[in-house]
Amino acid sequence: MAKIVPFQAVRPTRDKVCLVTCRSYEEYVNAELAAQLDFNPLSFLHILKPAYTNQETVSFEKRYRQVHQKYQEFKNEIILIKDKKPAIYIHKIVTKTHSFTGIIVGTSVEDYCNNVIKKHEDIIAFRVRLLKEYMQHAEFNTEPVLMTYPDNKTIENWIFNCCQKLADFEFSTTKKEIHYLWKIEDTLEINWLQNIFEKTESLYIADGHHRTEALKMLSQENKDIQNTSKNHILSYLISENNVKIYEFNRLIKDLNGLSKQDFIKALENNFIIENKYQQPFQPLEKHHFGMYLDSEFYSLILRKEKDEINSSLESLDTQILYKKVLLPLLGIEDLRNDERIEYLSGKQSVLEVKNKIDQGEFEVGFLLFPSNIEEIKALAHENQIMPPKSTFIEPKFRSGLVIYEF
């Protein structure tokens, strides 16, 4: 059964929140990052990138210490303040196309170890170690792990009622998103919500597998038994019906020595192929694929006699494309590290795939139908792992909005 806990968050003051919070560091291109750091002294990016002012190249460990030092400066200057009482937080994100509302809490590392919190993605050990060392030196985490829970009308009604009150925070971003945050510190309400989640059999990690594993490692290495904060994971819990899952399309740099005609002939062994010519095409159901090659779009439908599916993993379109095309025909074995393949999220237009190929960066592109939450849950229950870059999941969070200290 899932355990959740309130915590004393560190947050920007109300008058500075729109200046402090930022997107995840990796989302900024260099010019945008430089502009933010040059012209906004309150941006949380100054904590995440503390060596920028002196344009230093520093070791990981030195950078982590600088992150901690800059974070303490923000607290000393009353840019960030710590809540006086443990609380849970409701966070609503309104984008141009969607609205997401979830609960920010601490979840249990023990639940993760015992498979109450379930995963569906593989991890890279080196990245986990870096994240663990980063959080160990910085002594905080500001990126919640996105977890889903089964649809629950009681929770949704409670969230709806809470959102009728004046928000603690309400601000807009340059990406035309609106963010709201409500703090819930009433003990009776918190206990009530904890009791509901204790009856929830499983939580599912949607995004944040590396952070979760790093926090598990941090907890296991904790020698201070009085410091129970390291036993919990900063988490954003959201109903299954409120996440948005996009596909990742594939771009390949060459045909592995095959001619266009030979490549299409080889594809016909597994797919029914229809040339769509100049008409942009995206698949509208599972086991259908789009392809762009030599200035033309194609529809690829998996032949039913080739539909040999014995597990949730084999049913995934990303796995079918890998097993039927990328590995045997194009010679791409390592989906994570092969330099001949790149990925483009389904949030971007199909024309972006076309443009990159027309410009000569790539030779062929494959368009996929997005996975759904049931596929993710099935993989988690079967202890199977999705191929890399199978899903791009929203919502995405802003750093510096809610900070969990260790």
Side-chain angles (χ1 to χ4, degrees):
M1 304 301 105
K3 295 184 286 291
I4 64 169
V5 297
F7 63 99
Q8 290 173 266
V10 175
R11 300 183 291 141
T13 57
R14 186 183 180 92
D15 61 316
K16 298 182 180 69
V17 61
C18 62
L19 294 172
V20 173
T21 66
C22 63
R23 304 196 309 277
S24 178
Y25 173 77
E26 291 83 4
E27 291 186 31
Y28 290 88
V29 297
N30 288 338
E32 189 181 15
L33 180 64
Q36 285 288 321
L37 290 167
D38 282 337
F39 300 112
N40 181 4
L42 298 180
S43 173
F44 202 80
L45 288 168
H46 286 284
I47 294 174
L48 301 177
K49 183 73 171 175
Y52 174 80
T53 304
N54 301 317
Q55 296 294 306
E56 294 179 85
T57 301
V58 298
S59 66
F60 286 126
E61 187 173 338
K62 184 176 180 182
R63 182 197 161 203
Y64 300 159
R65 288 198 301 268
Q66 290 176 339
V67 167
H68 177 73
Q69 181 180 351
K70 194 68 179 177
Y71 174 67
Q72 293 302 322
E73 287 178 16
F74 268 50
K75 289 177 68 177
N76 293 338
E77 294 171 9
I78 321 296
I79 299 169
L80 301 172
I81 56 175
K82 189 168 186 174
D83 286 337
K84 294 180 180 179
K85 290 177 61 179
I88 59 179
Y89 304 85
I90 297 173
H91 184 199
K92 182 176 182 179
I93 306 167
V94 180
T95 71
K96 288 180 281 187
T97 55
H98 295 92
S99 176
F100 307 98
T101 307
I103 310 163
I104 301 177
V105 295
T107 57
S108 169
V109 170
E110 183 181 16
D111 280 354
Y112 176 64
C113 295
N114 294 334
N115 205 34
V116 173
I117 296 173
K118 298 183 182 297
K119 62 183 179 180
H120 69 270
E121 285 186 6
D122 207 354
I123 55 170
I124 303 171
F126 174 69
R127 187 177 169 193
V128 169
R129 286 196 303 273
L130 283 182
L131 275 170
K132 188 272 295 184
E133 290 168 9
Y134 172 84
M135 289 187 285
Q136 187 173 38
H137 285 87
E139 299 182 0
F140 71 83
N141 179 26
T142 187
E143 294 190 36
V145 174
L146 179 63
M147 300 184 190
T148 67
Y149 58 84
D151 299 343
N152 186 309
K153 197 65 177 177
T154 301
I155 296 176
E156 299 312 303
N157 287 338
W158 174 77
I159 289 175
F160 176 82
N161 290 331
C162 290
C163 293
Q164 304 312 301
K165 304 171 186 175
L166 181 66
D168 289 70
F169 287 158
E170 178 183 350
F171 65 95
S172 298
T173 73
T174 55
K175 293 292 183 180
K176 299 182 180 178
E177 296 176 348
I178 306 173
H179 289 255
Y180 303 86
L181 190 79
W182 291 267
K183 179 173 67 171
I184 311 298
E185 56 185 8
D186 180 80
T187 302
L188 290 177
E189 277 191 276
I190 292 172
N191 290 341
W192 173 82
L193 192 65
Q194 287 175 316
N195 288 333
I196 288 181
F197 274 100
E198 283 177 3
K199 299 172 186 175
T200 302
E201 186 175 341
S202 300
L203 301 175
Y204 300 86
I205 300 174
D207 191 23
H209 287 78
H210 285 86
R211 271 167 282 151
T212 309
E213 192 69 20
L215 289 162
K216 170 188 169 183
M217 187 181 295
L218 191 67
S219 176
Q220 291 174 337
E221 294 180 5
N222 180 28
K223 294 182 173 62
D224 181 5
I225 59 174
Q226 302 299 318
N227 184 359
T228 59
S229 62
K230 292 183 179 178
N231 297 334
H232 298 104
I233 303 161
L234 177 65
S235 305
Y236 184 90
L237 307 184
I238 189 168
S239 174
E240 291 173 359
N241 64 12
N242 198 205
V243 293
K244 176 63 178 174
I245 304 175
Y246 297 90
E247 72 279 11
F248 266 108
N249 296 314
R250 274 71 171 135
L251 293 161
I252 315 297
K253 292 188 175 179
D254 59 67
L255 295 181
N256 197 32
L258 295 171
S259 67
K260 172 186 172 181
Q261 291 74 20
D262 288 342
F263 179 60
I264 290 177
K265 184 177 181 181
L267 286 175
E268 288 177 336
N269 291 326
N270 291 299
F271 300 93
I272 300 168
I273 302 177
E274 181 183 354
N275 192 331
K276 298 289 186 178
Y277 300 100
Q278 300 302 312
Q279 178 185 349
F281 174 79
Q282 282 184 285
L284 298 177
E285 58 183 287
K286 278 177 62 64
H287 301 172
H288 289 203
F289 303 83
M291 181 175 73
Y292 185 70
L293 172 65
D294 193 23
S295 301
E296 294 178 326
F297 285 94
Y298 295 82
S299 162
L300 310 180
I301 301 176
L302 182 66
R303 294 183 183 275
K304 291 195 179 298
E305 65 270 21
K306 299 294 183 178
D307 196 356
E308 303 161 359
I309 293 171
N310 299 308
S311 70
S312 298
L313 178 61
E314 291 176 2
S315 177
L316 287 178
D317 284 353
T318 49
Q319 184 72 357
I320 291 169
L321 186 68
Y322 175 66
K323 288 292 188 180
K324 307 284 187 189
V325 181
L326 300 183
L327 178 61
L329 302 184
L330 297 178
I332 294 175
E333 182 174 356
D334 188 343
L335 291 172
R336 198 182 295 276
N337 298 309
D338 195 313
E339 294 181 353
R340 295 168 55 226
I341 184 170
E342 290 190 17
Y343 304 89
L344 201 65
S345 86
K347 283 199 72 175
Q348 301 188 57
S349 167
V350 62
L351 297 179
E352 186 65 22
V353 173
K354 177 183 184 300
N355 290 340
K356 285 181 175 289
I357 293 172
D358 288 347
Q359 291 167 8
E361 293 182 61
F362 302 93
E363 191 159 351
V364 63
F366 295 97
L367 304 156
L368 287 82
F369 185 72
S371 295
N372 58 53
I373 193 68
E374 293 304 322
E375 290 179 310
I376 290 174
K377 289 172 63 177
L379 282 167
H381 279 284
E382 294 173 15
N383 293 316
Q384 296 196 45
I385 300 300
M386 272 189 165
K389 297 293 185 182
S390 288
T391 57
F392 179 89
I393 300 179
E394 287 186 331
K396 299 296 183 185
F397 305 101
R398 291 183 72 80
S399 297
L401 179 62
V402 173
I403 303 163
Y404 182 95
E405 291 189 330
F406 303 117

